[in-house]
Amino acid sequence: MSLEKIIYKKNNDLSKKIDKQKVPEHVAIIMDGNGRWATKKGLPRSFGHNKGVSVLKEIIKVSKKLGCKVLTVYAFSTENWTRPTKEVDFLINLFTEVLKNEIEEIHQELIKIKFIGDLTPFPENLKKIIFSSESLTKNNKNFLLNICVNYGGRQEIVKVAQKLALKSISGEIKPSEVNEELFNSELLTQGINDPELLIRTSGEKRISNFLLWQLAYSEIYISEVLWPDFNENEFLKAIIDYQSRNRRFGGIESLPNQSFKDSYFSP
Ligand code: FPP
């Protein structure tokens, strides 16, 4: 049997183990290990980021095929600005080029794309393509792809606190009315259910300032595989592992999956 056939058979076997009724609706991913992958191969780190893009494309296809509805990926954190200028510039250029080249296909696949984070420091050409991509895909209802750029979980929470404090000072709300629901409604992810599953690649066991509020009850799956080597098979392993968990949310009974929200796809 050829190597391709063996890999295909293995994936096929794994997909048979998936319970279609218990597929997570929202999966968040920390795509880690691009640099290490390249360095191990004696290549510049940029090669790892390039390969990372093709892996992301594969994972979007697989998660969509499985029946997931939302994928939220961490593409650039507020801390990533501390990398050498050359790498930051490379990543900004990569986001711009990928969007230019892929947006038509994304749109044809009826994927809605949304950028989460503070876009202010990015160059105008990137901001322009981000806004036009969001606008082009805003009515798509098949799948939601959230790309977190210049995103930090603490910064997001502080911003919500500031907004609520201002509303309170202006008399729009009373301090006693501040609750989880109101807080949720001011988050960058407002209207979207929290991820049931967080996947982090490259064996690191940290949340790294990603979706701090939203991940409160998410199941965490750490894959030892570096992001450029992650693939359908590894994703299926994460889903199978997730399906073996008993989600009790602090109680003693296992609770069913949350229900799908139409509001994800409201423009
Ligand atoms: C983490 O690996 C990866 C990043 C900081 C960038 C991730 C970006 C992509 C995969 C491209 C996505 C493109 C679009 C358009 C969304 P690392 O550099 O931290 O690796 P290391 O930990 O081995 O150094």
Side-chain angles (χ1 to χ4, degrees):
M1 203 186 277
S2 73
L3 186 62
E4 267 181 10
K5 271 195 180 155
I6 293 171
I7 293 171
Y8 176 78
K9 194 172 177 308
K10 217 174 154 202
N11 284 354
N12 223 13
D13 289 349
L14 278 186
S15 65
K16 277 189 200 138
K17 291 190 182 165
I18 304 265
D19 177 348
K20 291 270 180 202
Q21 305 307 313
K22 278 172 65 185
V23 170
E25 179 192 279
H26 183 176
V27 179
I29 307 184
I30 301 179
M31 311 177 287
D32 197 12
N34 291 353
R36 272 165 286 163
W37 180 87
T39 307
K40 264 186 169 179
K41 292 188 172 327
L43 297 167
R45 290 171 58 86
S46 55
F47 280 64
H49 298 314
N50 277 334
K51 178 70 171 37
V53 173
S54 46
V55 173
L56 176 58
K57 280 168 67 180
E58 181 182 350
I59 297 309
I60 295 168
K61 284 206 179 96
V62 177
S63 48
K64 203 163 163 261
K65 192 171 73 185
L66 271 184
C68 301
K69 284 286 167 194
V70 186
L71 196 62
T72 302
V73 296
Y74 209 4
F76 194 91
S77 72
T78 43
E79 291 72 31
N80 284 154
W81 294 105
T82 59
R83 292 188 177 204
T85 317
K86 205 172 136 207
E87 184 166 344
V88 170
D89 288 349
F90 177 85
L91 282 169
I92 289 177
N93 191 46
L94 182 68
F95 299 152
T96 315
E97 288 306 308
V98 170
L99 271 182
K100 262 192 217 157
N101 297 333
E102 305 292 338
I103 195 61
E104 270 313 317
E105 194 183 330
I106 290 174
H107 186 42
Q108 271 162 23
E109 291 286 322
L110 300 178
I111 296 172
K112 174 174 172 171
I113 192 165
K114 190 169 148 47
F115 283 80
I116 293 183
D118 177 10
L119 303 180
T120 324
F122 289 119
E124 284 309 313
N125 63 337
L126 175 56
K127 281 193 262 196
K128 215 170 138 195
I129 184 108
I130 285 180
F131 296 142
S132 64
S133 305
E134 287 183 331
S135 160
L136 176 72
T137 62
K138 69 174 194 263
N139 294 316
N140 290 344
K141 296 195 188 313
N142 247 3
F143 191 82
L144 173 63
L145 173 65
N146 294 316
I147 301 179
C148 298
V149 284
N150 193 27
Y151 172 85
R154 284 191 176 179
Q155 289 84 340
E156 181 186 27
I157 291 171
V158 167
K159 279 255 157 65
V160 174
Q162 284 174 350
K163 275 191 194 167
L164 294 178
L166 281 172
K167 281 191 177 178
S168 172
I169 288 172
S170 72
E172 204 179 317
I173 56 165
K174 292 193 200 112
S176 59
E177 283 167 4
V178 176
N179 56 21
E180 289 189 19
E181 203 186 336
L182 192 62
F183 212 92
N184 252 322
S185 71
E186 295 288 354
L187 288 168
L188 297 169
T189 52
Q190 57 102 354
I192 304 168
N193 281 334
D194 294 338
E196 293 99 320
L197 173 64
L198 168 72
I199 299 175
R200 181 166 189 157
T201 59
S202 91
E204 303 288 349
K205 299 175 182 69
R206 289 186 294 278
I207 292 185
S208 298
N209 207 13
F210 189 42
L211 303 176
L212 294 182
W213 174 280
Q214 297 85 342
L215 292 173
Y217 286 102
S218 307
E219 296 296 328
I220 299 179
Y221 179 84
I222 307 291
S223 166
E224 293 300 322
V225 173
L226 302 175
W227 178 251
D229 283 331
F230 200 74
N231 55 24
E232 172 166 8
N233 206 25
E234 298 303 325
F235 188 77
L236 292 178
K237 282 191 207 164
I239 302 294
I240 291 164
D241 189 84
Y242 161 81
Q243 293 190 334
S244 72
R245 314 268 181 101
N246 191 3
R247 305 193 77 215
R248 295 187 303 273
F249 299 90
I252 49 174
E253 301 258 338
S254 185
L255 293 170
N257 269 4
Q258 52 203 352
S259 62
F260 170 67
K261 274 192 189 170
D262 253 354
S263 61
Y264 296 168
F265 301 110
S266 55

